[in-house]
Amino acid sequence: MSRSCVLSLLLVALCSSISNAFIAPVSRLPASISPPAERTALKAIDIVEPSYNLAAGSLGLGLIFGIPGSPLKSRVTAILGGIPLTLFALFLAYQTTTLRFTFDESNFSLVKSSGESTGENVVVGGENVWGYDKFVNYDFFPSQSFPILVYFKETQTPAEYWNIGPGESANSEEALAKGAVPGQVHFFPAIGNSNQLLNGFEKHNCAKIE
Ligand SMILES: *[C@@H]1O[C@H](CO)[C@@H](O)[C@H](O)[C@H]1NC(C)=O
């Protein structure tokens, strides 16, 4: 895969993780809801192990473009590549440390590493909790063995949000003609073990377009 392709994927990951994974403080949850740790203690939950591969890869690329003595290093590559990629690596490492994907009996969720709710999704509202039966597709980009982005599409989010941002092309007539199923698209940086994510999606029969 070409370097520019990797870079543009990382850029997409950055944009999508900023739009998708920014999290509201838990204190915004209504006081009447019992603490999630208490609720979840009674249920079987698989927590996906964190994966630092993406943060490490981003850091590696950042160093290649930014480190003195590297053949690719110049002021331009440092400013365009080295510095943003290194900052992105720190951002990913932070997310990898503080967030977890989980699978319970009926939902795929993004929670804090403490198990607490991540609050409302800032883009489309609603908790970062999606029922398996609402999935219409999932995938890993560029691939499951070299994951940069975890993608899924669901119909739980109200349809009025589906065409915002990347959803516009994902729900276009052209995409639907090619077999896409309408829904809300989500892209998250691949901050969890992709084998465990795949196993979880398969185990819970999440719909997938082949
Ligand atoms: C799945 O999520 C829904 C909606 O948030 C919730 O009502 C339900 O209890 C959850 N199921 C489990 C097993 O946690």
Side-chain angles (χ1 to χ4, degrees):
M1 192 166 49
S2 75
R3 195 186 306 138
S4 60
C5 181
V6 172
L7 284 178
S8 52
L9 277 163
L10 280 168
L11 205 64
V12 175
L14 174 62
C15 298
S16 67
S17 54
I18 284 174
S19 65
N20 246 320
F22 258 90
I23 52 182
V26 166
S27 56
R28 276 177 50 191
L29 290 173
S32 59
I33 293 180
S34 61
E38 209 174 285
R39 282 188 296 159
T40 54
L42 305 168
K43 292 172 186 159
I45 296 198
D46 291 324
I47 301 171
V48 175
E49 281 171 16
S51 166
Y52 286 89
N53 292 349
L54 189 56
S58 179
L59 181 64
L61 277 180
L63 294 181
I64 287 173
F65 289 117
I67 250 186
S70 159
L72 285 170
K73 198 247 171 192
S74 74
R75 187 172 296 176
V76 174
T77 62
I79 290 171
L80 292 182
I83 294 169
L85 281 166
T86 305
L87 291 176
F88 186 39
L90 292 177
F91 172 73
L92 286 172
Y94 176 75
Q95 287 205 320
T96 310
T97 307
T98 54
L99 300 176
R100 294 288 178 277
F101 292 114
T102 64
F103 293 92
D104 66 20
E105 282 157 53
S106 42
N107 302 307
F108 175 62
S109 310
L110 180 74
V111 300
K112 294 187 180 179
S113 50
S114 59
E116 286 174 286
S117 166
T118 47
E120 293 239 320
N121 187 294
V122 219
V123 185
V124 295
E127 260 196 299
N128 289 312
V129 174
W130 303 276
Y132 304 128
D133 55 353
K134 302 297 192 308
F135 273 62
V136 294
N137 199 11
Y138 64 87
D139 214 338
F140 300 89
F141 291 113
S143 75
Q144 198 248 320
S145 55
F146 185 71
I148 292 179
L149 293 176
V150 180
Y151 153 83
F152 64 95
K153 200 171 185 183
E154 44 82 9
T155 56
Q156 178 177 306
T157 302
E160 64 201 85
Y161 295 107
W162 293 357
N163 288 327
I164 295 174
E168 194 174 339
S169 57
N171 290 302
S172 65
E173 277 177 32
E174 197 187 346
L176 301 183
K178 284 184 187 155
V181 179
Q184 174 68 46
V185 289
H186 297 270
F187 289 99
F188 288 102
I191 56 173
N193 180 308
S194 66
N195 285 328
Q196 293 180 3
L197 284 166
L198 178 65
N199 288 344
F201 292 143
E202 287 181 343
K203 176 176 160 189
H204 296 288
N205 297 315
C206 296
K208 174 162 172 52
I209 295 170
E210 293 305 333

